[in-house]
């Protein structure tokens, strides 16, 4: 039983995303807003389980809206939506308190997996220690140089194949490094790993 609030200034993108999110198991209601200002006004009333916030929008924008929302309501869960190349926007949003991000051209399966994981995290944090919940209670691990390179590639929106070409590694080898760093960071997927990486200052 989860409510998701979708925020995007593009009517077409907003409606497309709303329809996609409505098909995700566990999501019972999907709301839509067109600005960060509207999210700040509606969150206390609707209290959604998750906010899908576009990074770049007119007005205060997604990053500033997230910072203000988390400052007012620390329990709010925000997942940023961004283009793969917008590393700076993602970094600032994560620093502002967003739980993670999803790229706008993600497949429906990737979107669903990220939303389901975020909603699961929300449920898990209800009884978790607030300080530990920022990083899932995991102590900052020591990543190998290769794992750091893979994490950096992920933070830049690169696919496993693209990371492999840049590092002269096979895609399977990249996946192996990814699984290891996920395990060390207590992350379920690349979005969560990158989010934790930003919080720990492993990627910039």
């Amino acid at each position: 039983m989860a409510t998701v609030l979708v925020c995007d200034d593009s009517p077409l993108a907003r409606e497309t995303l709303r329809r996609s999110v409505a098909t995700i198991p566990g999501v019972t209601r999907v709301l839509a807003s067109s600005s960060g200002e509207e999210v700040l006004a509606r969150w206390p009333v609707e209290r959604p389980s998750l906010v899908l916030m576009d990074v770049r929008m007119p007005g205060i924008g997604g990053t500033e809206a997230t910072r203000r929302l988390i400052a007012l309501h620390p329990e709010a869960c925000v997942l940023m939506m961004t283009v793969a190349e917008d590393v700076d926007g993602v970094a600032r949003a994560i620093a502002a308190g967003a739980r993670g991000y999803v790229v706008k051209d993600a497949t429906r399966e990737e979107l669903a997996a990220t939303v389901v994981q975020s909603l699961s995290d929300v449920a898990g944090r209800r009884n978790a220690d607030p300080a530990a919940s920022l990083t899932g209670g995991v102590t900052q691990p020591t990543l190998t140089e290769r794992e750091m390179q893979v994490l950096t590639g992920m933070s830049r929106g690169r696919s496993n194949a693209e990371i492999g070409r840049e590092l002269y590694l096979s895609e399977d080898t990249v996946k192996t490094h990814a699984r290891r760093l996920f395990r060390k960071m207590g992350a379920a997927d690349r979005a969560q790993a990158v989010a934790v990486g930003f919080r720990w200052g492993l990627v910039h």
Side-chain angles (χ1 to χ4, degrees):
M1 300 287 289
T3 297
V4 176
L5 174 58
V6 172
C7 181
D8 196 304
D9 61 298
S10 164
L12 177 59
R14 191 167 60 245
E15 179 59 19
T16 299
L17 186 61
R18 188 193 68 77
R19 291 182 179 181
S20 295
V21 173
T23 66
I24 297 175
V27 175
T28 54
R29 189 166 63 131
V30 183
L31 309 172
S33 65
S34 59
S35 69
E37 290 88 342
E38 187 178 349
V39 170
L40 291 172
R42 294 183 64 182
W43 198 95
V45 178
E46 305 288 356
R47 300 192 71 83
S49 310
L50 175 66
V51 178
L52 283 173
M53 182 94 74
D54 190 9
V55 172
R56 306 286 182 180
M57 291 186 292
I60 63 174
T63 299
E64 177 60 17
T66 297
R67 187 191 69 76
R68 296 185 189 184
L69 179 62
I70 299 299
L72 291 169
H73 308 283
E75 70 276 22
C77 182
V78 181
L79 198 62
M80 308 307 296
M81 298 182 296
T82 184
V83 294
E85 298 80 13
D86 192 7
V87 181
D88 179 62
V90 170
R92 288 187 293 105
I94 295 297
R99 304 301 306 180
Y101 76 98
V102 60
V103 292
K104 287 192 170 184
D105 59 355
T107 65
R108 286 196 175 194
E109 291 75 16
E110 290 169 336
L111 173 65
T114 304
V115 169
V116 168
Q117 180 61 49
S118 297
L119 291 174
S120 176
D121 289 345
V122 170
R125 288 202 313 275
R126 284 174 185 161
N127 298 317
D129 174 68
S133 69
L134 286 173
T135 55
V138 178
T139 302
Q140 181 170 335
T142 300
L143 301 183
T144 65
E145 181 180 357
R146 196 60 97 185
E147 288 166 351
M148 279 296 303
Q149 291 171 335
V150 171
L151 180 62
T152 299
M154 290 177 177
S155 74
R156 293 173 178 166
R158 306 283 196 270
S159 67
N160 288 335
E162 290 169 334
I163 293 171
R165 285 195 293 272
E166 290 177 355
L167 300 178
Y168 301 100
L169 299 173
S170 70
E171 186 172 352
D172 285 341
T173 300
V174 172
K175 289 179 180 178
T176 297
H177 287 302
R179 284 194 296 270
R180 288 174 181 165
L181 72 88
F182 289 171
R183 190 163 55 248
K184 287 182 178 181
M185 301 176 79
D189 54 31
R190 61 164 49 209
Q192 193 173 15
V194 170
V196 172
F198 276 121
R199 286 195 187 92
W200 281 337
L202 297 175
V203 290
H204 304 280

